[in-house]
């Protein structure tokens, strides 16, 4: 499943995939794969992304 929440939040903050990747210590390809639903990030990476944006795991990763 695609992570449109991550893509939307990234766009809302005017960040490229590379910007976010640099901020959380992964490759741009990893961010791309998460957004496309082709990669399930580790809990550690999920937490890093959430802390970066100031949101909770539920806000960003919970399916509605």
């Amino acid at each position: 499943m695609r992570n449109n929440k991550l893509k939307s939040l990234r766009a809302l903050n005017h960040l490229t995939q590379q910007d976010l990747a640099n901020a959380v210590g992964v490759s741009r390809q990893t961010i791309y794969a998460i957004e496309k639903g082709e990669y399930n990030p580790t809990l550690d990476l999920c937490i890093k992304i959430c802390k970066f944006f100031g949101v909770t795991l539920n806000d960003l990763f919970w399916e509605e």
Side-chain angles (χ1 to χ4, degrees):
M1 177 169 191
R2 292 175 185 241
N3 192 322
N4 292 321
K5 290 181 186 179
L6 178 58
K7 187 174 184 175
S8 296
L9 189 57
R10 183 177 55 74
L12 186 67
N13 285 275
H14 308 287
L15 297 169
T16 65
Q17 289 176 338
Q18 188 65 58
D19 293 334
L20 179 56
N22 291 344
V24 298
V26 297
S27 69
R28 183 202 59 79
Q29 291 85 352
T30 298
I31 300 300
Y32 173 82
I34 294 168
E35 290 182 355
K36 288 292 188 183
E38 297 171 355
Y39 176 74
N40 289 322
T42 63
L43 181 56
D44 183 56
L45 179 53
C46 291
I47 291 169
K48 285 180 183 178
I49 292 170
C50 288
K51 283 184 177 182
F52 178 77
F53 285 117
V55 298
T56 68
L57 287 168
N58 283 345
D59 292 338
L60 194 53
F61 293 102
W62 188 259
E63 294 179 30
E64 296 175 356

